[in-house]
Amino acid sequence: MKHGVFSSLRVRLMGLVLLAVVPALWLLFYTSARHRQLLMTGIQTELLRWSRLAAVDYAQLLDGAHQLLVTLAKLPEVGNRDPAACQVLMEDLLKAYPLYVNLGVGGSDGDASCSALRGRVDPLHRTAVQRVFETRQFTVGEYVVDRASGRATVTAAHPVLDAAGELRAAVFAEIDMGWFHELAAGTDLPSGTVLMAIDRHGTIFARYPEPERWVGRSVPEAPIVKTILARGAGVTESHDVDGTRHVFAFTLLERPPAPRAFVSVGLPPSV
């Protein structure tokens, strides 16, 4: 009889303990899950802020190139189509602006009549220069990777008009897109952070770290690249181009008339 009483008391005590513990455990799990959710939201917001800051920096870079080209288009060394004087001017400017790979003046065929790099016949600027003759406006060409150097560039061009308003030439600036790598390297980002910029075709033109491994590679089928090309901007957890898992924030590099492109910032979930 006593054994039955004690068993009944034990069951009741265990029930009371469970009644006290279960809500506490539920609250603990809920608090933990809520904390993780808030933490992830904060991380995603910060990642999105970083990606947007990179996009803003890029827009400012193109605005600076535009202003430089507007000024150059008004100089007599450019407007008078004096190759010797233009050559000296562009060489001096290239030394003062290391962000640019080349500066020069081109004709309707896209060839340079004046270039800071003597003897260089470079097709990278031709699309932008030729488009100026079609639109009579500031324009930006496609992102191009020089296979020899592994350097990615984009060319901006602006019309050169004579006193009568006739289009005579286009002044161009070939911009080194490696500034993305310098931006990431100079920012206090957590270990394992990945910064990547891709064009509208899914080709990488900037990547940190390991730019020498990834710049110029076309990876439209990579999970994160497919997501970026489909959505344009947002936050997601996906596999990076190297197969590792990251939490990514990505956004458009919006600066008309530059071609559609995207920048992303990713962190490993462990961070």
Side-chain angles (χ1 to χ4, degrees):
M1 183 69 177
K2 289 183 178 179
H3 182 271
V5 171
F6 285 131
S7 296
S8 178
L9 287 174
R10 188 179 296 111
V11 171
R12 290 179 183 179
L13 286 173
M14 289 180 64
L16 289 173
V17 170
L18 287 174
L19 285 174
V21 170
V22 168
L25 287 174
W26 177 85
L27 182 61
L28 177 64
F29 287 130
Y30 173 79
T31 304
S32 177
R34 180 63 176 163
H35 176 69
R36 186 181 188 280
Q37 181 183 15
L38 291 173
L39 186 62
M40 285 299 296
T41 300
I43 291 171
Q44 291 171 356
T45 301
E46 188 67 8
L47 285 174
L48 196 57
R49 185 180 72 87
W50 284 340
S51 67
R52 287 171 176 166
L53 284 174
V56 168
D57 282 354
Y58 178 61
Q60 292 175 342
L61 171 69
L62 288 183
D63 285 338
H66 188 189
Q67 293 304 314
L68 174 63
L69 295 177
V70 168
T71 301
L72 291 179
K74 297 176 181 178
L75 296 180
E77 294 92 335
V78 174
N80 294 339
R81 307 293 298 276
D82 183 341
C86 178
Q87 183 80 43
V88 173
L89 172 66
M90 297 302 173
E91 288 176 351
D92 290 342
L93 285 173
L94 192 60
K95 294 174 185 176
Y97 293 93
L99 182 63
Y100 300 115
V101 177
N102 195 12
L103 295 165
V105 178
S108 58
D109 57 0
D111 288 334
S113 58
C114 159
S115 171
L117 301 181
R118 292 178 182 270
R120 175 170 171 171
V121 180
D122 196 334
L124 299 182
H125 63 268
R126 286 179 179 164
T127 302
V129 170
Q130 289 172 331
R131 199 175 298 161
V132 167
F133 284 86
E134 298 170 1
T135 64
R136 295 175 61 90
Q137 295 178 347
F138 172 72
T139 187
V140 181
E142 297 286 344
Y143 302 93
V144 181
V145 178
D146 182 0
R147 295 295 179 183
S149 65
R151 172 185 280 172
T153 63
V154 66
T155 300
H158 185 77
V160 178
L161 307 178
D162 61 17
E166 294 296 323
L167 179 59
R168 295 300 184 188
V171 61
F172 67 85
E174 191 179 334
I175 305 167
D176 186 354
M177 299 308 294
W179 70 272
F180 270 106
H181 312 143
E182 297 174 8
L183 173 68
T187 305
D188 189 21
L189 296 173
S191 176
T193 300
V194 171
L195 184 144
M196 181 172 67
I198 60 173
D199 67 12
R200 55 184 172 174
H201 306 296
T203 299
I204 300 171
F205 63 83
R207 170 84 180 189
Y208 177 88
E210 299 183 301
E212 65 284 348
R213 177 185 175 189
W214 293 104
V215 170
R217 292 182 62 172
S218 180
V219 288
E221 296 305 315
I224 182 57
V225 174
K226 291 176 72 172
T227 300
I228 292 173
L229 294 179
R231 291 173 52 187
V235 179
T236 189
E237 186 169 342
S238 179
H239 285 97
D240 191 14
V241 293
D242 63 0
T244 58
R245 195 81 177 173
H246 280 67
V247 178
F248 286 97
F250 51 94
T251 191
L252 277 163
L253 289 174
E254 293 183 294
R255 172 51 175 92
R260 187 178 176 91
F262 311 86
V263 62
S264 64
V265 181
L267 275 177
S270 58
V271 175

